[in-house]
Amino acid sequence: MGNVIGIGASPKRKEDQRFLTGRGNYVSDIKRPGMTAGVFVRSPHGHAILRGIDKSAALASPGVIAVLTGEDAAADKLGSLPCGWGISDAKGVPMKEPPFPMLAQGKVRFVGDMVAFVVAETPAQASAAAELLTVDYEVLPSVVGVLEAVRPGAPQLFDDVPNNLCCDWELGDKAAVETAFRKAAHVAKLSLVNNRLIGNPMEPRAAIAEYEPGTDRFTLWTTSQFPHVVRFLMGALVLNIPQHKLRVVAPDVGGGFGVKQFHYGEEAVITWAAKRVMRPIKWVASRSEGYVSDRHGRDHVTEAELALDETGKFLAFRVNTLANMGGYLSTFGPNIPTNLYGPLLGGVYTTPAIYCNVKVVFTNTVPVDAYRGAGRPEATFVLERIVDVAASEMGIDRVEIRRRNMIPKEAYPYQTPVLVQYDSGDPMGCLDGALVAADVKNFGIRKAESARRGKFRGLGYSTYVEACGLAPSRFAGRLGARGGLYESATVRVHPTGQVTVMIGTHNHGQGHETTFAQIVSEKLGVAFDNVDIVFGDTDRVQFGMGTYGSRSLVVGGAALSKATDKVVAKGKKIAAHLLEAAEMDIQFEAGKFSVAGTDRMKTFEEIAGAAYVPHDYPLEVLEPGLEEQAYYDPVNFTYPGGCHIAEVEVDPETGTVTLVNYTAVDDVGTVINPMIVEGQLHGGIVQGVGQALYENAVYDEGSGQLLSGSLMDYCMPRADHMPMMNISTHSTLCTHTPMGVKGCGEVGTIGSPAAVINAVVDALSHLGVTHVDMPATPNRIWRLLQNASLPVAAE
Amino acid sequence: MKPFAYHQPDRIPDAAKLLTSIEDSKLVAGGMTLIPTLKQRLASPPALIDLSKLGNLKGITDGGATITIGAMTPHAVVAASKLVQGKIPGLAALASMIGDPAVRIRGTIGGSVANNDPAADYPAGVLGLGATVVTSTREIAADGFFRGLFETALEPGEIITAIRFPVPLKAGYAKFKAPASRYALVGVFVAKFADGVRVAVTGAGSGVFRVPPMEDALSRSFDPSAIAAIKIDTEGLTSDIHAEADYRAHLVTVMAKRAVDAALS
Ligand SMILES: Cc1cc2nc3c(=O)[nH]c(=O)nc-3n(C[C@H](O)[C@H](O)[C@H](O)COP(=O)(O)OP(=O)(O)OC[C@H]3O[C@@H](n4cnc5c(N)ncnc54)[C@H](O)[C@@H]3O)c2cc1C
């Protein structure tokens, strides 16, 4: 039976029992009767005209059942992969939205673009046949970098997208910013690159599709963070399958990080093909296939300027960014570098005027979309870097300049000049806490000790805020969202008092089965072990938008909280009847309904029993059963934030940067499970450190080949790269979510890159180094030291 | 992976015969390098000849002035060997720096040396110590064995059976790991013998190579300071997304100094 385990406790994660004992149920674990194997044939070229595909040899290969190409999809009149956001430029002109066929038609636009799907009896037969497919390519020059793509004469991806420019987006009051710049005592300038990243979830993408002629229904099992959205996008917009004839299941999923929150062409192709061959088909991507087909993240080139008065107060901030979209628009693609970027440029500061221009650009690379943090790490990096540059140029301490510009706790709710209004926060409190936790006071002693060993030590700050809990639908709609962003939950109380929750978010490592069970346990007073969380199946869960943008607890948890409130409200009605009291006199506390001021009461189980055995029950006014559903659409984003302090040591002989200390004090609102929050921060920080020091997706200009196409060449952060992290929370409560929660899934990734790079620059500042691009690899640091204005002191 | 025949002979001559009689067949030792290439369909030999059942290919023997390591000896065994740790600690250290625990448990010295990956560690130890590669048909001095990028002096059908290392006065290895793969971006093995010093570099170019100016300087004075000013020519060094040639050249000097330090400690 167990106990109530409520909000604020840290039980071990329910789901880990099955994961750690090898009893998870991932897509590739699933076998269907008569299942066949599918393999995608992908373009080896970054840019080429598809002159023709000869299927004959592949079709004749042993075991082959079908070979499908873009021509077949066109003949079946299938739709293009839809983009969920339509942004516009300053004049209201909509973005260029060229079609994204699920199998290439006419042209391929990146290495990995799909040209055919081969279905055979076994995976080996499908792979062998795929090698026999003859594709006639007329290879064109590729363009992979944003600066190159907008240059006159650059290769053009689409005939009707001049200069490869998808949208010239802007935000903010340009004129006010210009006026402020004219009055500035100092202007800090910074050019930087936000490096391109590859998500690398532990489980590669996979899918199984099956068509049942008896019911005319399709089932798609897919590694997705949002099965209901896949059902809608794929069913309604691509394959023309009515929603009630399509079931999408996302079972256990081994990590997402954004990579699995898009509707992928593979899903559409395999579902379409399953009906054509009348057999179930399974496709499992290899790691290498993931590198050239999973959506990538980041990839910005930015020029930023910060105007300050003589005291170091920020007057205005101007940011011009070129953002890489890759070869096509992915599900959220154009939203990420615009709506999730520009509105974050205010940070935790009172900067009165901000202007941001983002040129969204097509290139011959994998489509770029949301990756943990999505837009907000990019914004934080620009802002927190230029604050350091300004401080150093003006001779103001880096902490002091932050204090002078920080929004004081009393000033919340705070309206920024870039759309968003922060409801709550205490950046100064986080900063103060972090300064103590990181023992900044004794940094000088540690730096001197490093110097004795010939090493340069540096300290870096990042005081940041982010916007998550995506998203208030009305607000998002104004920004170009083509769907709603609410969440739904059903709380089903069984006749014996146990509870099953059906929720539209998707758990793929975040610990929802535990956190959500704690909420129910607390709110209904039922034992933690008596609550199960069901997700990831459109036939079992009413509806949902899925998990991304740190929204599950904030939006899904709110829907769950509302649904439990409805259960309690109905329970009170039943109790009032059974206890012969007025409904308003019924109290619910610790799993008991009682009449106020008396010892008359009914347990939660008794009420559940009465609801399902309604012999003594107010049937005239109340339906039997105890099951409630709630939808929740947030009124605002939530704004977690905090202060991260990184401490690094640089070996000037080799250029190696070692992260030696990491401190984070974050405001994530109410903490449901401290252990899980800490885990989310650990993972998020490691991902940010990965961006800052190790990870880089590199394409070859001209050929469009991905040079960092495997784990041998793409450096993921590893356990031995990290020191023990010092994590704590300093929370203010969100004023508009039911439980005061703000979300914590992405904060680590958002706050950390700037902290790390600011520390590296600090370590090298005595050599005249003012900026280091990410990732700060040994080669890059060594090169900077070669060009540094002062001799390397430690040698 | 494409289908292939699998043979597990128990005598070296049988293995050699299979290897020459089945065209394009391949020996498999630990499989750490070969199996991934099969999985990625980069190679598709019609037959694999597994060396694991051949007698005498595993193990480390003390020859007094030499140590002989059987071709099928895994890296982990070399790293943990009291004999190697006692007589050539630099070689045990090198073995302990290869890959990760799983790779060290499966991967073998014979496979590593036969494969001659330009970023592998063992070639630096074999060349730096002036070892002898013992094969099914002959003995080959290290100086004549490595022929650049994945090329060796091995003839078709020839099987490495052991590597014989002379015991040096001192030896050390320093490795700068490539960030992603953790192979050697630059690795330098330094060995001091009565008649002089040998310096071998892996990772920096298309194959392992010696550095005569460093050998001369260290023969005069076996101290890091003796080579601190020696600059390596970037000609022939590798430039890739992880490191440019001049950075690799710089690292050769840094790692050589650290290898001498390791040998002295
Ligand atoms: C993740 C990973 C990390 C690694 N990191 C490193 C590293 O840091 N440093 C490093 O040096 N290596 C590294 N390696 C390579 C590893 O050391 C391999 O074990 C080694 O290169 C090959 O040894 P093997 O026994 O696995 O050979 P196999 O893969 O079985 O064979 C390799 C080749 O050698 C041939 N061969 C094998 N044995 C013989 C023989 N006795 N005679 C003739 N030919 C033979 C085979 O036919 C084949 O062509 C790494 C490998 C992996 C998978």
Side-chain angles (χ1 to χ4, degrees):
Chain A
M1 279 298 289
N3 302 319
V4 167
I5 300 179
I7 293 172
S10 289
K12 292 264 183 326
R13 303 198 321 171
K14 282 178 178 245
E15 48 269 66
D16 286 344
Q17 180 69 30
R18 70 174 185 280
F19 294 149
L20 298 178
T21 54
R23 290 180 172 87
N25 179 39
Y26 298 89
V27 171
S28 57
D29 293 327
I30 296 170
K31 293 186 180 67
R32 302 296 303 166
M35 192 164 76
T36 65
V39 164
F40 288 95
V41 177
R42 296 178 184 276
S43 170
H45 305 293
H47 197 190
I49 295 171
L50 259 182
R51 283 208 297 227
I53 300 176
D54 181 357
K55 297 180 182 179
S56 50
L59 278 170
S61 185
V64 172
I65 299 163
V67 177
L68 300 172
T69 66
E71 276 184 22
D72 301 312
D76 277 6
K77 303 211 169 24
L78 304 180
S80 158
L81 298 175
C83 180
W85 284 74
I87 57 166
S88 305
D89 71 10
K91 296 189 204 78
V93 179
M95 68 182 188
K96 295 277 189 316
E97 194 174 357
F100 186 175
M102 56 196 210
L103 290 169
Q105 293 177 10
K107 228 182 177 192
V108 289
R109 292 185 176 84
F110 63 92
V111 170
D113 205 355
M114 298 188 290
V115 295
F117 186 53
V118 178
V119 184
E121 295 292 341
T122 70
Q125 288 174 333
S127 301
E131 281 170 11
L132 297 175
L133 195 77
T134 322
V135 185
D136 186 6
Y137 294 105
E138 180 184 331
V139 179
L140 303 171
S142 291
V143 63
V144 303
V146 283
L147 292 170
E148 290 75 13
V150 294
R151 250 176 226 151
Q156 301 288 299
L157 271 77
F158 300 95
D159 293 343
D160 48 0
V161 183
N163 303 316
N164 299 313
L165 188 62
C166 168
C167 190
D168 193 352
W169 182 90
E170 61 177 48
L171 175 68
D173 188 339
K174 194 174 185 179
V177 167
E178 270 160 21
T179 310
F181 266 87
R182 276 195 297 276
K183 293 198 213 116
H186 183 80
V187 173
K189 295 187 181 181
L190 179 64
S191 304
L192 59 84
V193 173
N194 200 288
N195 43 324
R196 185 181 181 105
L197 303 179
I198 301 176
N200 272 303
M202 196 181 289
E203 179 206 24
R205 286 189 298 119
I208 300 172
E210 178 169 329
Y211 175 69
E212 237 182 287
T215 54
D216 189 30
R217 286 194 99 216
F218 293 82
T219 304
L220 170 69
W221 289 265
T222 180
T223 50
S224 181
Q225 301 175 218
F226 62 174
H228 288 87
V229 181
V230 171
R231 181 179 64 171
F232 174 72
L233 296 176
M234 182 176 86
L237 305 176
V238 184
L239 299 182
N240 308 315
I241 301 172
Q243 296 290 288
H244 66 302
K245 294 293 185 191
L246 176 58
R247 174 185 180 197
V248 178
V249 185
D252 283 331
V253 171
F257 312 112
V259 166
K260 296 170 181 167
Q261 68 171 67
F262 317 121
H263 171 40
Y264 279 94
E266 289 90 344
E267 294 167 327
V269 171
I270 197 169
T271 306
W272 164 60
K275 183 171 179 185
R276 288 186 60 128
V277 304
M278 283 292 183
R279 304 253 309 261
I281 310 172
K282 178 190 259 186
W283 160 76
V284 180
S286 66
R287 177 72 52 191
S288 317
E289 195 174 4
Y291 268 90
V292 296
S293 65
D294 290 356
R295 305 303 178 233
H296 293 181
R298 320 280 193 260
D299 202 343
H300 289 191
V301 175
T302 294
E303 303 271 344
E305 295 165 283
L306 183 65
L308 303 95
D309 73 9
E310 54 290 334
T311 69
K313 276 286 257 184
F314 307 159
L315 301 175
F317 189 32
R318 182 158 55 203
V319 176
N320 290 297
T321 292
L322 286 161
N324 203 331
M325 275 293 99
Y328 301 92
L329 294 181
S330 173
T331 312
F332 295 91
N335 179 46
I336 306 306
T338 54
N339 294 319
L340 290 183
Y341 175 71
L344 270 296
L345 292 169
V348 293
Y349 311 115
T350 55
T351 318
I354 298 173
Y355 171 76
C356 170
N357 171 251
V358 182
K359 291 187 169 57
V360 180
V361 179
F362 288 112
T363 65
N364 295 110
T365 62
V366 168
V368 179
D369 206 320
Y371 170 64
R372 199 173 193 173
R376 292 148 290 161
E378 295 91 313
T380 302
F381 189 69
V382 177
L383 179 58
E384 287 302 294
R385 274 299 300 129
I386 204 165
V387 167
D388 265 28
V389 170
S392 127
E393 288 173 355
M394 294 185 74
I396 304 173
D397 176 76
R398 293 175 295 157
V399 172
E400 179 54 29
I401 201 168
R402 285 178 166 82
R403 284 192 197 284
R404 282 184 201 169
N405 289 283
M406 243 173 214
I407 304 165
K409 193 178 176 188
E410 312 74 62
Y412 288 83
Y414 185 85
Q415 179 61 51
T416 72
V418 274
L419 300 177
V420 290
Q421 188 188 78
Y422 307 143
D423 64 294
S424 60
D426 180 17
M428 204 86 80
C430 292
L431 172 62
D432 287 334
L435 290 172
V436 173
D439 190 23
V440 169
K441 164 166 115 274
N442 290 313
F443 172 71
I445 297 170
R446 301 194 291 277
K447 189 174 171 75
E449 188 277 327
S450 294
R452 279 196 293 280
R453 288 182 287 110
K455 305 287 201 305
F456 303 146
R457 195 178 270 249
L459 200 62
Y461 303 90
S462 169
T463 48
Y464 74 98
V465 63
E466 64 126 327
C468 71
L470 307 183
S473 295
R474 201 176 289 143
F475 187 89
R478 278 203 296 275
L479 297 179
R482 291 168 173 169
L485 290 149
Y486 45 82
E487 198 44 76
S488 88
T490 296
V491 173
R492 177 175 300 161
V493 182
H494 300 285
T496 43
Q498 293 90 353
V499 176
T500 302
V501 171
M502 272 65 63
I503 193 156
T505 53
H506 190 279
N507 183 26
H508 40 275
Q510 296 86 347
H512 294 172
E513 288 165 59
T514 305
T515 304
F516 291 158
Q518 284 179 252
I519 292 171
V520 173
S521 185
E522 163 111 11
K523 297 206 63 156
L524 298 183
V526 298
F528 173 71
D529 290 341
N530 286 347
V531 184
D532 261 8
I533 310 297
V534 171
F535 58 90
D537 184 342
T538 60
D539 269 10
R540 294 182 73 194
V541 176
Q542 58 291 343
F543 205 65
M545 289 295 143
T547 286
Y548 54 88
S550 305
R551 68 189 305 279
S552 299
L553 178 61
V554 173
V555 191
L560 176 58
S561 168
K562 272 182 71 178
T564 57
D565 289 345
K566 290 187 185 178
V567 166
V568 170
K570 183 166 182 184
K572 281 184 177 173
K573 288 192 168 58
I574 302 170
H577 174 84
L578 294 177
L579 296 168
E580 294 172 341
E583 188 187 329
M584 56 183 291
D585 290 336
I586 302 292
Q587 295 176 331
F588 181 67
E589 220 188 293
K592 292 182 181 67
F593 293 89
S594 60
V595 181
T598 74
D599 59 359
R600 285 188 294 142
M601 65 92 169
K602 291 281 176 193
T603 64
F604 185 76
E605 288 77 11
E606 286 171 320
I607 294 299
Y612 288 95
V613 188
H615 296 165
D616 178 15
Y617 194 88
L619 285 166
E620 303 70 28
V621 292
L622 210 56
E623 294 169 7
L626 194 52
E627 169 166 330
E628 296 289 344
Q629 188 172 94
Y631 276 65
Y632 176 80
D633 200 296
V635 298
N636 191 354
F637 295 95
T638 56
Y639 302 95
C643 177
H644 287 204
I645 302 182
E647 196 166 322
V648 301
E649 202 174 71
V650 179
D651 174 359
E653 254 195 336
T654 62
T656 305
V657 176
T658 307
L659 184 62
V660 289
N661 287 316
Y662 200 93
T663 304
V665 175
D666 293 296
D667 177 354
V668 298
T670 303
V671 173
I672 308 289
N673 181 318
M675 176 193 73
I676 287 179
V677 168
E678 205 175 330
Q680 286 293 307
L681 276 151
H682 286 159
I685 289 166
V686 173
Q687 262 171 304
V689 170
Q691 167 160 38
L693 297 179
Y694 310 112
E695 299 182 46
N696 204 15
V698 185
Y699 275 98
D700 182 44
E701 199 62 64
S703 75
Q705 294 299 323
L706 179 62
L707 301 178
S708 54
S710 80
L711 286 166
M712 296 294 273
D713 287 306
Y714 184 88
C715 185
M716 293 295 285
R718 295 172 159 85
D720 66 356
H721 284 136
M722 294 301 299
M724 294 306 286
M725 288 171 261
N726 180 354
I727 310 267
S728 55
T729 51
H730 172 82
S731 282
T732 58
L733 300 190
C734 176
T735 59
H736 58 83
T737 54
M739 293 171 288
V741 298
K742 295 188 179 183
C744 69
E746 294 164 297
V747 289
T749 318
I750 292 166
S752 54
V756 174
I757 294 298
N758 282 343
V760 174
V761 173
D762 180 48
L764 305 178
S765 59
H766 63 293
L767 306 172
V769 171
T770 55
H771 180 65
V772 178
D773 263 326
M774 301 188 289
T777 60
N779 193 154
R780 193 168 262 168
I781 298 292
W782 178 77
R783 178 80 50 211
L784 272 174
L785 295 180
Q786 295 305 294
N787 303 333
S789 48
L790 298 169
V792 176
E795 284 229 309
Chain B
M1 201 182 293
K2 297 184 185 171
F4 52 81
Y6 177 75
H7 302 276
Q8 204 176 38
D10 46 20
R11 291 173 13 150
I12 291 172
D14 295 345
K17 204 150 116 214
L18 282 164
L19 192 57
T20 40
S21 62
I22 310 171
E23 205 182 334
D24 294 331
S25 63
K26 279 264 182 204
L27 298 173
V28 60
M32 291 289 94
T33 298
L34 185 62
I35 303 296
T37 60
L38 301 187
K39 279 190 176 170
Q40 293 179 306
R41 304 172 78 87
L42 297 172
S44 45
L48 291 191
I49 301 148
D50 185 342
L51 299 178
S52 64
K53 283 275 143 51
L54 301 184
N56 301 335
L57 255 53
K58 241 178 226 168
I60 304 171
T61 45
D62 188 354
T66 62
I67 288 182
T68 301
I69 303 180
M72 286 298 286
T73 311
H75 312 326
V77 171
V78 176
S81 157
K82 292 277 172 284
L83 179 64
V84 182
Q85 286 173 357
K87 290 197 156 180
I88 323 180
L91 188 62
L94 175 150
S96 76
M97 291 181 217
I98 297 174
D100 50 52
V103 167
R104 290 195 290 273
I105 284 167
R106 295 281 320 163
T108 67
I109 189 169
S112 177
V113 170
N115 194 48
N116 192 21
D117 187 304
D121 296 295
Y122 264 130
V126 172
L127 185 64
L129 286 161
T132 301
V133 180
V134 184
T135 77
S136 47
T137 55
R138 59 185 168 142
E139 298 198 344
I140 310 168
D143 281 307
F145 182 82
F146 300 106
R147 301 267 172 89
L149 206 64
F150 298 106
E151 292 288 328
T152 67
L154 288 176
E155 298 285 346
E158 194 170 5
I159 300 169
I160 299 177
T161 56
I163 316 284
R164 194 169 65 239
F165 293 93
V167 175
L169 299 174
K170 287 180 177 16
Y173 182 60
K175 173 179 184 178
F176 191 84
K177 291 179 180 174
S181 72
R182 299 204 166 174
Y183 273 72
L185 193 72
V186 168
V188 180
F189 199 96
V190 173
K192 178 179 159 72
F193 293 94
D195 59 351
V197 172
R198 292 172 67 101
V199 176
V201 177
T202 188
S206 61
V208 61
F209 60 88
R210 290 173 63 184
V211 189
M214 286 190 176
E215 295 183 346
D216 294 344
L218 289 170
S219 297
R220 285 192 297 276
S221 156
F222 196 72
D223 188 90
S225 61
I227 51 173
I230 297 181
K231 294 229 181 315
I232 302 297
D233 192 353
T234 54
E235 180 76 29
L237 297 195
T238 308
S239 265
D240 58 25
I241 59 171
H242 306 296
E244 290 146 303
D246 57 344
Y247 176 57
R248 277 194 164 86
H250 164 79
L251 281 183
V252 170
T253 306
V254 175
M255 290 299 122
K257 286 192 309 180
R258 292 185 184 181
V260 174
D261 263 334
L264 290 170
S265 71

